Amino acid sequence: MQDFIGDWLIERDIRPVDGPQAHFTGRATWQPEVGGALYTEIGQLHMPGQGTFEAERKYRWDNDLRVFFQDGRFFHVVPSRGGDSAHWCDPDQYDASYDFENWPLWSCRWRVKGPRKNYEMISRYRPAVQA
């Protein structure tokens, strides 16, 4: 968990199977809390044909890299060495793949598929300040 603490720059591409690609640019922060960290990301979401919007999301991460929604519901586990994770949100399946090979540059790819959703989302992170 400690390796995530601090500020990160994030670039995200959202690629629907049947629509224009959206792009998010912003900042992600892991702020330490007892037992883990509060994850907050804020930035600009650009959706072709719809404009640019402020976007924000928050999650809680515990020290075992379990991720929870703001309301306390379990989301998924981040594999500490990278790899796959998943979340079922009836009726859609969310499959993630974390890549930490080039740490501190890292990425997460979500493939979301079901009757309501069908897209791929790739997020790329890098430290906001290089040490």
Side-chain angles (χ1 to χ4, degrees):
M1 165 53 48
Q2 276 308 116
D3 291 338
F4 292 98
I5 299 298
D7 294 324
W8 299 77
L9 300 178
I10 180 173
E11 295 278 336
R12 177 177 295 134
D13 293 315
I14 305 164
R15 301 174 181 156
V17 168
D18 59 356
Q21 178 174 312
H23 185 75
F24 174 85
T25 303
R27 182 176 293 262
T29 302
W30 279 263
Q31 182 177 349
E33 294 185 325
V34 174
L38 174 64
Y39 170 90
T40 303
E41 71 177 44
I42 189 165
Q44 300 285 316
L45 176 63
H46 177 71
M47 300 176 68
Q50 297 181 41
T52 300
F53 307 92
E54 286 285 325
E56 181 177 348
R57 70 169 70 176
K58 293 183 181 189
Y59 297 104
R60 296 206 181 285
W61 288 41
D62 73 10
N63 287 328
D64 293 325
L65 301 181
R66 292 180 301 179
V67 181
F68 298 84
F69 294 105
Q70 277 188 283
D71 65 8
R73 290 177 299 128
F74 176 72
F75 183 20
H76 71 289
V77 176
V78 176
S80 63
R81 296 177 189 253
D84 298 335
S85 191
H87 173 74
W88 172 252
C89 185
D90 195 17
D92 302 310
Q93 177 65 37
Y94 290 67
D95 294 312
S97 179
Y98 285 85
D99 182 353
F100 300 129
E101 186 174 324
N102 295 311
W103 188 267
L105 306 177
W106 63 279
S107 65
C108 179
R109 175 188 169 270
W110 283 95
R111 178 70 181 103
V112 182
K113 192 166 185 173
R116 295 186 306 170
K117 299 176 182 175
N118 193 358
Y119 66 89
E120 178 180 60
M121 181 171 70
I122 302 169
S123 302
R124 292 168 304 282
Y125 294 82
R126 61 184 167 94
V129 177
Q130 294 289 343

